[in-house]
Amino acid sequence: MSKEPVAVVGIGQTKHVAARRDVSIAGLVREAAARALADAELTWADIDAVVIGKAPDFFEGVMMPELYLADALGAVGKPMLRVHTAGSVGGSTALVAANLVAARVHGTVLTLAFEKQSESNAMWGLSLPIPFQQPLLAGAGGFFAPHVRAYMRRSGAPDTVGSLVAYKDRRNALKNPYAHLHEHDITLEKVQASPMLWDPIRYSETCPSSDGACAMVLTDRAGAARAPRRPAWMLGGAMRSEPTLFAGKDFVSPQAGKDCAADVYRQAGIADPRRDIDAVEMYVPFSWYEPMWLENLGFAEEGEGWKLTESGVTELDGDLPVNMSGGVLSTNPIGASGMIRFAEAALQARGLAGEHQVERARKVLGHAYGGGSQFFSMWLVGATPPDS
Amino acid sequence: MTREEAPARREIAVVAFAQTDHRRTSDEFSEVEMLMPVLHNVLGQTGLRTADIGFTCSGSSDYLAGRAFSFTLALDGVGAWPPISESHVEMDGAWALYEAWTKLLTGDADTALVYAYGKSSPGSVRDVLTRQLDPYYVAPLWPDSVALAALQAQALMDAGDTDEPALAAVAARSRADASANSHAQLRGPVPQGDYLVRPLRTGDCPPIGDGAAAVVLAAGERARELCARPAWIRGIDHRIEAHGLGVRDLTDSPSARLAAERAGAFEGPVDTAELHAPFSSQEVVLRKALRLGDDVRVNPSGGALAANPIMAAGLIRIGEAAARIHRGESDRALAHATSGPCLQQNLVAVLEGDPR
Amino acid sequence: MPEVLKAPLVVEFPFTRSVGPVQSAFLTGLRERVVLGVRTRDGRTLVPPVEYDPVTAEELRDLVEVAPTGTVTTWAWNHEPRRGQPLTSPFAWVLVRFDGADTALLHALDAPGPEAVRTGMRVRVRWAEERAGAITDIACFEPYEGEGAGEDARVGRGEHAGGAAAGARHSGEFEDAISGIVAPARLDYTYSPGRAQTAYINALSGRRTVGERCPSCRKVYVPPRGACPTCGLATAEQVEVGPRGTVTTFCIVNIKAKNLDIEVPYVYAHIALDGAGLALHGRIGGIPYDQVRMGLRVEPVWTDGARYPDHYRPCGEPDADYETYKELL
């Protein structure tokens, strides 16, 4: 039994900002969903099911908010699923939705992910005062910085690599109207002069807190044939998980990430990702994760990822552009960040990314991860249907 | 629209089910300590190991636990190494089973492990569930889950659909049936008690407690290898309604009816129905919406009135219905799960055993 | 089995909710003692006004004003009000269909007892004395003896009191309209860490670090969580580790965290205690922050009354060779 090919025919995002004070949570998600429908030239009645994702409910203080959002997303009378796989959730949500089409359960599915961080404070949500536990001794970056140091030790990467990534992503964001940070006066010197928060991570190498939502309309071959604009086709998709903390865990290059990528490449017939994949939207919350993931995803040998960054390969006009949209470093509505990666990959494959479009982007990888570098979700999308 | 006519959909069955003994409190165990024996049990029934499982999916709630990312620690009980293909819904485990069912339909996996757990004992679940409500107009009033169910019960009484003695009979039948269910929390005669929120009495309300459940799904021949009499999922569907109680007819459940229709429940009679009706009055709504006659054995396990571990209670309905098919006590059963205030969201599965 | 630990866990936050235009109009209206609804394209009037049509999903923006009186469509007597609920003495929860509306609003009804409440009874808004633009600006409903009193409105399935009676259009514009609400939320939990972590914490009080060994892979987990996460098996065999250990990696924290009283800069490190299968986290002291390095050998420094070591300090041993701890990174 073969799977139904899955096409992305509609994509919508909000303009991501620190605080969307003009809309409710429903208004925020509605904006992204309405834009995705408009892109696909579909109405609410054309949608068979809704799959929604977000990070912990404590961030907005609404338990299972999809119950309240059913009306705003036109889900009344339809199936509605809510996914939560930590930071990878935006990607996982898209994959759950894609499976509904691939399994021929539904023809056309709306998938959406969001976070309205301004309703509370993510650090509060992440550090509830659990009794008996040792208090977190450092902020969000304190979790990641030791792993970055471990990577630097292993790879021998010069300590400027992180700033190169941040400088690139923030410049890319200037070409993306939906990106949160638009730092028009950014210079490499400014990135390198920004305060060292969690040495080796500088302020400019960290992601912002954003309010935002991202939505996609996924459909089958029949739906794609009716689509007004070019679809992107899903060529492979996978999720992998490993435990939070365990003896032998490799935080720098987790096995679950390698396995997830290998599964996607197998499905998509990718023999050499460096050669066969044209661009990547990867989940880089702190700049150093770009070289780390380049290795984890098989674009470079272990210890060599930073060389791609340093030599300009991952620039927008490079040989393997990474985070053309500006990435998580420029936009971070936590639960939506993974779906934005997936959606931006699809935009590239459709040739509709506008100013940050990569020429001849035929096969593009979208990548998300979360938890203690333990949950991974990825998809590879292309300009042509699978097996064609 | 839903592709009911899709050709040769893969056959998928529930091949094993396990649950904890549900109790008012389980504070001697962490969530993973509570969950792990159930996972071992369900894998043991099939002889499968974690590495043999094609897909794993779970359902739980951070709000119940009072901690963000609580599900990440539960994963410790699975033994996710080497890494596994895995997902999680912030919903009752019945919806995790639905996600796993779609995964198996794609052909990407032949077996799936589905689990769910919930500890209601650490918090005040009546208050916790208020956080599910419209955050602008309703949640600031803190209307608790019993109060909302009581509004629904009164609407049923006003409509002449039920009365207090009828509700008491539902409660009594459920606990009497539960006396044969060693996992149930409330078994045998339970006094109807005083009003909790009138017109609902303590007997009309579910026990508050902790528990976990797990199911193994398998496709086609794999199911027959793993289980003598697989419980084939002939159809499964779920639907949601508008959120506001004031815009809904609380005496009806159009979403349950539609889900049942899409799951094929009305295409033939069922002999058994496991309904996720935490309140006695909700069984009245569901029986009507699902067109269950008096000849259908409803909640032989005792249902959610006998044990209601939130986030797992819906999955347990599917597991109980499947287990009856496994044991040859049912040939065609309906299983139902619900989520949200006053039955806002409903899932229906139709399970069948091979002819005997 | 020794008694497990338990402690209260309070999850409390004042959420700041932006409300959007329709909800802003409704909530600001309440402040001004005006009840607004919203009209759907097919002529229904929804009170409270929602942003999106629950039937068609259309965006709704056409506001109308309705009278602050209405009819109870269902009710439930709450003899034991809970924290945060509208009234502190016994009251009825009610769904009230405002005159001119097709849908109902959930709130409280102040009545002397359940015998005084019935479906179909007429009620009116009792306004809160101090109003800020929130649903609680309606203090509650109260029985209404005025116009229409004594003659219950009919309430039945599918019957609408609204339609033609719906009120006049309203611009929804008010002076100083609210754009958001602050919604404080507090939930009280009793937290128990379970068997394995209780044993770990109890051992810490004797300044000993005790992990648990997996019966299958033999790795020692510190802190133990009751399961070997790679094997999915229960752990039980207790193994004391440390007290010395190796800094596997670290960062230098230069920004003060809100909830921590530690002077910056300081070093936050991953420390693999001798005999443990993985690293735990701690602060490094007793050495200038810029001299901390991977491989540094350390020992815990305890302070009276603290559950965890205050920090770890160099123990004077030579640095560990990278090869000895690279698997623990």
Side-chain angles (χ1 to χ4, degrees):
Chain A
M1 194 199 70
S2 67
K3 285 191 276 188
E4 177 69 24
V6 179
V8 185
V9 294
I11 293 173
Q13 294 182 57
T14 57
K15 163 73 176 99
H16 308 289
V17 295
R20 274 298 296 272
R21 300 206 194 280
D22 59 322
V23 290
S24 63
I25 298 171
L28 183 78
V29 299
R30 173 78 172 204
E31 198 171 294
R35 285 175 182 164
L37 286 178
D39 183 16
E41 295 185 13
L42 295 175
T43 68
W44 296 104
D46 297 314
I47 299 298
D48 297 328
V50 179
V51 183
I52 185 169
K54 70 174 299 299
D57 290 355
F58 285 110
F59 284 179
E60 287 83 9
V62 185
M63 179 184 185
M64 300 157 81
E66 64 280 4
L67 295 167
Y68 142 72
L69 292 171
D71 301 45
L73 293 174
V76 173
K78 295 174 186 173
M80 189 173 200
L81 274 166
R82 157 70 193 290
V83 180
H84 176 18
T85 61
S88 67
V89 65
S92 308
T93 303
L95 292 178
V96 173
N99 269 343
L100 293 173
V101 176
R104 300 188 175 87
V105 175
H106 296 298
T108 302
V109 178
L110 173 70
T111 186
L112 181 140
F114 77 98
E115 208 72 65
K116 199 162 183 306
Q117 289 211 58
S118 65
E119 304 264 314
S120 77
N121 172 314
M123 272 319 288
W124 169 79
L126 291 173
S127 54
L128 300 176
I130 308 298
F132 311 116
Q133 289 192 0
Q134 191 175 12
L136 205 61
L137 284 170
F143 177 82
F144 297 92
H147 305 312
V148 168
R149 183 178 302 276
Y151 172 72
M152 294 165 79
R153 169 68 177 78
R154 272 196 212 178
S155 66
D159 57 15
T160 51
V161 170
S163 61
L164 296 175
V165 174
Y167 178 52
K168 164 182 72 80
D169 285 2
R170 298 277 160 64
R171 276 179 295 135
N172 288 351
L174 294 173
K175 298 176 186 291
N176 174 6
Y178 297 104
H180 173 177
L181 296 184
H182 280 152
E183 298 179 344
H184 292 279
D185 52 355
I186 188 90
T187 63
L188 184 58
E189 292 67 34
K190 279 187 182 172
V191 172
Q192 291 177 343
S194 74
M196 191 64 95
L197 300 185
W198 299 280
D199 191 340
I201 294 180
R202 292 182 184 279
Y203 173 74
S204 288
E205 296 168 13
T206 67
C207 56
S209 286
S210 316
D211 283 358
C214 178
M216 291 190 285
V217 177
L218 308 183
T219 191
D220 55 14
R221 277 171 299 189
R226 291 191 297 268
R229 274 171 280 278
R230 266 174 294 176
W233 293 91
M234 178 173 159
L235 305 178
M239 295 186 226
R240 281 295 183 286
S241 307
E242 65 183 43
T244 315
L245 290 166
F246 61 94
K249 182 175 175 99
D250 186 344
F251 273 101
V252 172
S253 189
Q255 188 64 38
K258 293 181 189 174
D259 290 1
C260 190
D263 192 356
V264 170
Y265 300 158
R266 179 188 55 75
Q267 293 171 40
I270 300 289
D272 176 355
R274 175 77 177 85
R275 188 193 65 210
D276 298 342
I277 293 175
D278 302 311
V280 188
E281 280 282 341
M282 65 169 71
Y283 200 114
V284 176
F286 296 89
S287 59
W288 276 92
Y289 274 76
E290 175 176 302
M292 288 160 71
W293 294 143
L294 283 169
E295 297 170 25
N296 189 246
L297 295 172
F299 293 105
E301 294 296 319
E302 198 160 299
E304 307 279 313
W306 61 271
K307 293 177 184 169
L308 296 186
T309 300
E310 193 183 46
S311 62
V313 167
T314 60
E315 296 269 350
L316 190 53
D317 58 359
D319 191 36
L320 180 71
V322 172
N323 288 332
M324 301 69 75
S325 67
V328 179
L329 279 180
S330 306
T331 303
N332 188 32
I334 300 175
S337 288
M339 190 170 289
I340 296 170
R341 306 281 72 69
F342 276 44
E344 286 284 350
L347 271 181
Q348 292 284 343
R350 298 172 76 196
L352 298 176
E355 256 198 280
H356 62 287
Q357 177 69 45
V358 173
E359 270 186 66
R360 290 181 298 281
R362 306 289 294 171
K363 291 181 178 173
V364 187
L365 184 68
H367 160 274
Y369 89 105
S373 293
Q374 66 184 125
F375 301 117
F376 292 82
S377 59
M378 305 174 198
W379 80 0
L380 191 86
V381 284
T384 51
D387 307 311
S388 65
Chain B
M1 288 291 103
T2 301
R3 301 297 162 96
E4 286 149 310
E5 76 285 2
R9 184 178 270 181
R10 215 174 180 211
E11 285 197 308
I12 293 160
V14 177
V15 295
F17 166 59
Q19 60 184 316
T20 54
D21 292 341
H22 307 294
R23 290 182 298 167
R24 178 62 186 88
T25 175
S26 60
D27 54 13
E28 69 273 34
F29 299 122
S30 66
E31 280 152 337
V32 66
E33 288 166 344
M34 176 177 78
L35 171 67
M36 203 163 26
V38 171
L39 298 175
H40 292 170
N41 182 330
V42 80
L43 290 173
Q45 288 178 38
T46 55
L48 295 170
R49 294 165 305 139
T50 298
D52 303 323
I53 295 286
F55 183 64
T56 301
C57 196
S58 63
S60 68
S61 165
D62 279 350
Y63 252 93
L64 212 56
R67 297 196 308 289
F69 303 116
S70 56
F71 64 93
T72 62
L73 294 178
L75 189 62
D76 283 356
V78 174
W81 189 259
I84 60 172
S85 176
E86 190 259 355
S87 182
H88 172 264
V89 295
E90 194 82 353
M91 307 178 82
D92 185 284
W95 279 267
L97 183 144
Y98 181 86
E99 183 184 333
W101 173 75
T102 65
K103 182 78 175 175
L104 265 56
L105 277 186
T106 65
D108 283 346
D110 294 330
T111 53
L113 171 65
V114 178
Y115 64 90
Y117 62 90
K119 278 186 162 219
S120 296
S121 63
S124 167
V125 73
R126 285 173 68 179
D127 299 321
V128 169
L129 290 174
T130 64
R131 302 300 93 193
Q132 282 187 339
L133 304 168
D134 172 333
Y136 311 95
Y137 294 168
V138 184
L141 304 175
W142 294 82
D144 60 280
S145 48
V146 179
L148 300 183
L151 288 167
Q152 185 175 33
Q154 183 63 45
L156 283 166
M157 291 178 181
D158 290 337
D161 287 354
T162 194
D163 54 25
E164 285 203 37
L167 296 185
V170 168
R173 191 209 71 233
S174 299
R175 274 75 182 240
D177 284 344
S179 57
N181 174 0
S182 63
H183 301 290
Q185 188 176 338
L186 288 184
R187 307 167 65 200
V190 172
Q192 241 340 57
D194 294 331
Y195 288 121
L196 205 51
V197 179
R198 182 172 171 171
L200 293 179
R201 297 178 182 273
T202 52
D204 294 309
C205 301
I208 294 170
D210 301 351
V215 155
V216 173
L217 298 182
E221 280 310 305
R222 196 84 181 93
R224 291 192 172 85
E225 290 163 22
L226 295 171
C227 181
R229 193 173 192 239
W232 299 106
I233 300 173
R234 293 299 182 216
I236 182 168
D237 194 282
H238 60 102
R239 302 281 153 168
I240 195 166
E241 295 180 28
H243 182 61
L245 298 186
V247 309
R248 288 160 51 191
D249 175 357
L250 296 179
T251 67
D252 194 11
S253 181
S255 60
R257 187 183 306 111
L258 183 56
E261 189 183 310
R262 296 301 177 108
F266 303 139
E267 289 164 17
V270 297
D271 53 50
T272 304
E274 280 284 342
L275 305 181
H276 184 192
F279 297 91
S280 59
S281 44
Q282 293 177 341
E283 182 179 307
V284 176
V285 178
L286 291 168
R287 272 179 181 266
K288 188 173 66 170
L290 299 172
R291 301 177 201 157
L292 300 173
D294 291 339
D295 54 333
V296 178
R297 185 96 159 84
V298 172
N299 287 345
S301 68
L305 284 167
N308 188 39
I310 294 180
M311 310 314 288
L315 179 63
I316 290 171
R317 304 281 73 73
I318 300 175
E320 289 282 5
R324 286 184 77 80
I325 289 172
H326 296 161
R327 295 194 298 262
E329 294 164 10
S330 168
D331 293 322
R332 181 173 156 91
L334 180 151
H336 160 267
T338 196
S339 176
C342 296
L343 305 173
Q344 188 193 347
Q345 188 175 22
N346 295 283
L347 177 147
V348 173
V350 177
L351 306 173
E352 284 181 7
D354 287 326
R356 282 175 287 181
Chain C
M1 187 182 294
E3 191 83 341
V4 290
L5 292 167
K6 286 184 206 176
L9 164 62
V10 178
V11 176
E12 186 171 24
F13 201 83
F15 292 94
T16 50
R17 306 208 181 286
S18 49
V19 293
V22 169
Q23 300 189 123
S24 166
F26 176 66
L27 295 173
T28 307
L30 295 183
R31 189 188 69 197
E32 306 303 324
R33 302 192 192 205
V34 169
V35 181
L36 296 183
V38 71
R39 290 295 290 258
T40 64
R41 191 194 291 215
D42 60 4
R44 286 167 296 133
T45 299
L46 313 182
V47 184
V50 294
E51 301 182 271
Y52 306 100
D53 190 322
V55 178
T56 65
E58 272 183 304
E59 183 170 321
L60 302 176
R61 290 290 181 269
D62 296 336
L63 298 166
V64 293
E65 183 174 348
V66 297
T69 54
T71 302
V72 170
T73 65
T74 186
W75 62 281
W77 186 257
N78 185 28
H79 65 87
E80 249 176 358
R82 302 169 75 80
R83 185 169 73 197
Q85 295 183 342
L87 296 171
T88 52
S89 54
F91 67 90
W93 288 107
V94 282
L95 280 171
V96 172
R97 191 152 70 210
F98 280 93
D99 296 337
D102 295 278
T103 58
L105 175 143
L106 178 71
H107 219 293
L109 169 67
D110 188 9
E115 59 289 339
V117 186
R118 65 195 176 280
T119 297
M121 75 184 283
R122 300 282 298 154
V123 295
R124 71 177 167 197
V125 170
R126 179 191 297 165
W127 297 104
E129 298 220 341
E130 287 180 22
R131 296 180 305 283
I135 192 65
T136 45
D137 288 357
I138 296 177
C140 61
F141 286 92
E142 59 191 17
Y144 174 49
E145 302 294 336
E147 196 183 334
E151 176 187 351
D152 283 358
R154 282 170 48 102
V155 176
R157 271 176 229 160
E159 287 182 48
H160 290 194
R169 278 182 172 275
H170 193 285
S171 69
E173 287 167 19
F174 295 94
E175 295 261 320
D176 298 323
I178 64 139
S179 62
I181 58 173
V182 177
R186 173 183 170 138
L187 292 170
D188 286 83
Y189 298 85
T190 301
Y191 176 78
S192 167
R195 180 205 59 80
Q197 292 195 62
T198 290
Y200 168 72
I201 292 159
N202 285 340
L204 281 178
S205 64
R207 299 191 173 178
R208 296 185 311 125
T209 301
V210 177
E212 288 187 354
R213 190 189 302 279
C214 172
S216 176
C217 70
R218 310 297 294 163
K219 299 282 190 189
V220 175
Y221 277 86
V222 187
R225 299 197 302 271
C228 170
T230 55
C231 302
L233 294 173
T235 55
E237 182 194 342
Q238 301 206 327
V239 180
E240 183 166 350
V241 299
R244 291 186 173 180
T246 302
V247 171
T248 61
T249 185
F250 63 95
C251 69
I252 301 162
V253 179
N254 287 313
I255 51 165
K256 216 166 151 51
K258 268 184 208 149
N259 54 339
L260 289 177
D261 189 24
I262 306 175
E263 285 307 312
V264 293
Y266 63 90
V267 171
Y268 166 72
H270 294 192
I271 300 154
L273 296 180
D274 296 346
L278 70 176
L280 46 67
H281 300 173
R283 183 168 65 87
I284 304 297
I287 177 174
Y289 71 89
D290 54 359
Q291 290 177 27
V292 174
R293 56 209 176 259
M294 292 165 74
L296 184 69
R297 294 284 295 161
V298 293
E299 63 189 9
V301 177
W302 297 86
T303 50
D304 286 342
R307 179 168 285 122
Y308 290 92
D310 179 71
H311 62 275
Y312 292 78
R313 69 180 172 209
C315 66
E317 291 178 23
D319 285 3
D321 186 54
Y322 181 59
E323 293 300 314
T324 66
Y325 63 85
K326 71 173 188 184
E327 301 296 324
L328 296 165
L329 265 177

